[in-house]
Amino acid sequence: MAKMILDCDPGHDDAIAIMLAAGNPSIELLGITTVAGNQTLDKVTRNALSVCTAAGIRVPVARGAAGPLVNHQVVAGDIHGDSGLDGPYLPPASFDLDPRHAVDFIIDTVMSHEPKTVNLVPVGPFTNIALAIRKEPRIVERAKSVVVMGGGYTRGNVTPTGEFNVWADPEAAEIVFRADWDVTMIGLDLTHQALASVELQDRVRAVGGPVSEFVLDVWEFVGSTYRKVFEFSAPPIHDACAVAALIDPSVITVAKADVHVELSGRWTKGMTVTNFQDTPGMHHTGGVAAELTDFRTNVATQLDWSKFGDQIVDAVERLTVKVIA
Ligand code: PIR
Ligand code: CA
């Protein structure tokens, strides 16, 4: 069992990430922490509780940072709607928030479990994780791994080079990428391979019941905004990819790289500048520049779509059995 804390800003794909983490038997979901991102902190926190309530998930949920370290907060209402999770019916919360701030929840949880057992999965702006490092630097050595959804080495989605989670709080992202721990970057290059295709939707529809209906309503709404804004045929399930990679590392192919976040570029602020280490076909400047040669980050390049799809369907099935019982 892989112990995990999911740090998120639900969010349509965050909702699927929550369900995958709670519905997969090899994950022990220790808690969910929230961060302002796709919408304001109040909205995404409410959404996290609603998703848990709708899917019969009962884990601690802790509220975190209300905005980025330096930037002004910018939300993604064009994609996720005014609530941050428009589309599905959002039931009122059936349980209370954890009384702790997310930063304290993360620190307490990482420090109270055995060394190298707790995995962090940030899938919103990395503000909470950066603050946790600053408040208790020992979490860096103590955590087992960090699997982030964020960044990209060939594209952005807010600017040509800026992916939302990194772009929204680039200073926090740089803190997380520079810390001396095992980081995997699941960026847009990977998550744009993880589309909620008609085929996947049909498989989820075949499960039937309230969880399946919730997931289909999530994809219907975000599918329509992705068609409008990006002309995508189906919406990417970004955040679930990070959970999927923790469940089964063979779901993704990774390459070692040095990743730095651009903090001052006029057009490139929030870019994840990625220098690959000797990977055929990938950008590599080793030996020329002494900088950008700390190849410590695992950067995801290829998704095994069929394994990923199977994980999603399996989690919907398991949650359905529990919620109906
Ligand atoms: C997705 C997101 C934000 C903006 C857009 N345009 C699309 C959210 C997702 O929840 C995911 O975590 C990440 N940020 C993808 O950029
Ligand atoms: Ca997210």
Side-chain angles (χ1 to χ4, degrees):
M1 293 265 276
K3 296 182 197 294
M4 149 177 169
I5 300 173
L6 184 64
D7 183 65
C8 59
D9 60 340
H12 292 77
D13 52 314
D14 302 77
I16 308 299
I18 291 172
M19 293 185 182
L20 179 57
N24 187 285
S26 67
I27 295 289
E28 184 185 346
L29 184 57
L30 300 174
I32 295 169
T33 51
T34 63
V35 60
N38 286 326
Q39 264 298 351
T40 60
L41 181 65
D42 280 343
K43 291 180 181 179
V44 301
T45 303
R46 184 213 126 108
N47 294 346
L49 291 169
S50 289
V51 170
C52 290
T53 301
I57 299 163
R58 187 64 200 267
V59 297
V61 178
R63 228 173 102 90
L69 297 182
V70 181
N71 276 359
H72 292 289
Q73 195 196 351
V74 180
V75 299
D78 56 333
I79 298 297
H80 299 280
D82 186 54
S83 71
L85 188 49
D86 280 12
Y89 169 67
L90 299 173
S94 63
F95 62 100
D96 290 334
L97 284 172
D98 191 279
R100 286 167 287 183
H101 189 280
V103 170
D104 295 313
F105 179 85
I106 291 167
I107 293 169
D108 288 355
T109 306
V110 170
M111 298 310 290
S112 66
H113 284 81
E114 292 295 302
K116 306 276 186 215
T117 57
V118 178
N119 301 280
L120 302 178
V121 181
V123 298
F126 306 160
T127 322
N128 288 334
I129 313 297
L131 289 169
I133 293 174
R134 288 295 184 259
K135 188 170 184 191
E136 179 45 276
R138 289 179 298 169
I139 65 166
V140 171
E141 217 203 289
R142 185 106 178 170
K144 181 169 188 202
S145 79
V146 184
V147 184
V148 309
M149 189 284 132
Y153 53 89
T154 64
R155 69 192 88 180
N157 57 6
V158 192
T159 70
T161 56
E163 178 283 325
F164 182 85
N165 292 346
V166 172
W167 174 88
D169 195 344
E171 286 78 12
E174 178 68 354
I175 289 171
V176 170
F177 282 118
R178 292 337 305 155
D180 190 9
W181 52 9
D182 176 9
V183 182
T184 299
M185 172 174 121
I186 313 269
L188 293 176
D189 316 281
L190 190 289
T191 65
H192 283 180
Q193 300 169 42
L195 304 183
S197 62
V198 174
E199 180 208 337
L200 185 61
Q201 295 188 33
D202 286 344
R203 288 180 67 194
V204 168
R205 189 171 299 108
V207 176
V211 179
S212 151
E213 196 180 314
F214 190 96
V215 170
L216 291 170
D217 289 346
V218 162
W219 287 339
E220 187 180 318
F221 183 87
V222 76
S224 76
T225 60
Y226 257 86
R227 253 192 315 276
K228 259 191 294 219
V229 177
F230 297 113
E231 297 177 0
F232 271 41
S233 61
I237 321 172
H238 306 281
D239 295 346
C241 296
V243 177
L246 195 61
I247 292 169
D248 176 3
S250 77
V251 168
I252 56 169
T253 306
V254 296
K256 287 275 181 205
D258 185 332
V259 177
H260 273 270
V261 180
E262 181 60 82
L263 298 179
S264 62
R266 179 175 176 194
W267 306 108
T268 53
K269 189 168 179 196
M271 178 180 184
T272 44
V273 177
T274 306
N275 192 29
F276 284 95
Q277 177 180 39
D278 295 329
T279 306
M282 296 298 192
H283 191 67
H284 172 63
T285 61
V288 180
E291 292 183 310
L292 294 173
T293 53
D294 178 13
F295 306 112
R296 73 159 73 146
T297 306
N298 304 300
V299 175
T301 57
Q302 286 294 324
L303 177 75
D304 185 327
W305 199 88
S306 97
K307 283 186 188 164
F308 176 72
D310 289 351
Q311 283 187 6
I312 301 279
V313 176
D314 179 71
V316 172
E317 283 170 354
R318 289 175 193 271
L319 291 171
T320 303
V321 171
K322 270 188 24 202
V323 96
I324 283 175

